[in-house]
Amino acid sequence: MNNFVSIEKGLGPEGRVAVVRFDRQDGVNALSRDAMRQLTEAARSFEDDHETSVVVLTGTDTAFSAGFDLKEGRERDPATDIGAWRRQLKSGPRLARAWQEMEQITICAIEGFCIGGGVALAVALDFRVMARGAHMRVPEVALGMSMSWQSIPRMLHLIGPARTKQAVILANDRISADQAFEWGLVEKVVEADAFAAAMELATKIAEQPPLSVMMTKLTVNRLAHALDDLASHMDADQFALTNMTADHKEGVDAFFERRKPRFKGR
């Protein structure tokens, strides 16, 4: 089994900063189920870590993540066993929740592209730092799917309803780093080396009293996300349902065939 995730601890002030690197060494960094499992385990590995105050998550200098691995999804027919398909779809929500629920402050360093599930993961973290040459895109609707992983409530908290609709529905529109900053989707844009900027922010946070920081994060998150489960409890089922449509098959086929899809609403 390939190891896509590495963890380095003991960095920064008093050794309170850790770095999690996601690199499939393929220039794409798609979120296969194996990759999602490893990233989930990485987040959970900090549950009993009382020495780390800040965790920086980064991809490579050309790609944070291309999102859910469509090749894996294409190999399965949801209609043959909807129950098994629903169980498989828990990997993404489990990943995002694991990172959101970490007690440590989490910072996402985004270089290159951040697409679909990559955006879903990024918005589950506390802060996002983005290189000016990087971009985001949310292509789920263009592929005949719905945005899942409880991402819509998280995006709604960050950028409001109109911008969330714009980002998700106008799925093929790239969101530049400057646009993401203007919307509030990222907190900082730098000319280059988002990872270095994320480490600078991590250092500042790590210099603060760890317990006060942790308690503040917990309070803010509980207030901000109190209704998220209620608002998005059906998004996995909606995702499963859209995966069974002819429009989804057409969207994915068009993606791999590099042509414009022809959707028919069925």
Side-chain angles (χ1 to χ4, degrees):
M1 181 176 61
N2 293 322
N3 187 11
F4 304 136
V5 177
S6 63
I7 302 174
E8 185 177 4
K9 296 185 178 183
L11 307 174
E14 304 297 326
R16 293 194 173 279
V17 178
V19 173
V20 176
R21 296 182 185 275
F22 172 44
D23 184 4
R24 293 188 62 176
Q25 298 184 359
D26 60 0
V28 178
N29 262 10
L31 290 168
S32 63
R33 284 185 173 78
D34 191 25
M36 287 191 279
R37 180 189 58 76
Q38 291 184 35
L39 283 164
T40 301
E41 290 176 354
R44 290 176 174 170
S45 72
F46 289 94
E47 287 180 357
D48 296 319
D49 183 346
H50 305 294
E51 304 300 322
T52 301
S53 299
V54 189
V55 179
V56 175
L57 173 64
T58 187
T60 70
D61 57 0
T62 58
F64 179 70
S65 175
F68 177 69
D69 194 336
L70 288 175
K71 291 181 181 178
E72 279 196 356
R74 210 179 190 194
E75 294 170 355
R76 297 171 172 83
D77 180 6
T80 60
D81 188 342
I82 187 65
W85 181 241
R86 289 181 75 251
R87 288 191 294 273
Q88 290 171 3
L89 291 180
K90 292 180 180 180
S91 298
R94 188 181 294 124
L95 165 63
R97 183 180 293 275
W99 279 88
Q100 178 177 295
E101 292 182 348
M102 289 174 63
E103 290 190 342
Q104 293 82 3
I105 294 293
T106 53
I107 305 172
C108 183
I110 301 170
E111 309 267 4
F113 50 80
C114 178
I115 300 174
V119 177
L121 175 56
V123 298
L125 274 65
D126 296 311
F127 301 105
R128 287 145 293 279
V129 178
M130 195 170 180
R132 180 158 276 114
H135 72 271
M136 292 181 171
R137 191 160 62 86
V138 185
E140 276 77 359
V141 167
L143 294 167
M145 301 185 291
S146 60
M147 190 66 175
S148 186
W149 303 8
Q150 263 190 347
S151 304
I152 287 183
R154 295 185 183 110
M155 292 179 70
L156 191 65
H157 296 314
L158 291 171
I159 62 178
R163 292 300 192 193
T164 299
K165 292 173 189 173
Q166 184 175 352
V168 176
I169 294 174
L170 299 179
N172 284 323
D173 286 0
R174 286 187 175 187
I175 304 171
S176 69
D178 287 335
Q179 193 173 31
F181 177 74
E182 178 187 347
W183 289 5
L185 197 52
V186 301
E187 284 68 45
K188 188 171 186 177
V189 173
V190 293
E191 288 300 326
D193 203 345
F195 174 70
M199 290 298 288
E200 288 181 11
L201 177 58
T203 297
K204 292 180 180 179
I205 295 171
E207 290 172 343
Q208 305 305 314
L211 292 177
S212 298
V213 170
M214 178 189 68
M215 292 176 185
T216 300
K217 168 178 174 169
L218 179 63
T219 298
V220 172
N221 278 9
R222 287 292 184 267
L223 289 170
H225 301 290
L227 298 178
D228 284 4
D229 285 338
L230 177 63
S232 61
H233 74 285
M234 289 294 291
D235 72 358
D237 286 332
Q238 290 173 346
F239 187 85
L241 183 61
T242 58
N243 269 259
M244 297 172 65
T245 64
D247 277 350
H248 169 62
K249 184 179 185 305
E250 168 63 12
V252 174
D253 287 347
F255 173 80
F256 282 107
E257 294 166 13
R258 299 183 181 276
R259 61 173 172 81
K260 186 175 182 179
R262 298 179 293 275
F263 295 126
K264 299 181 179 179
R266 59 174 187 265

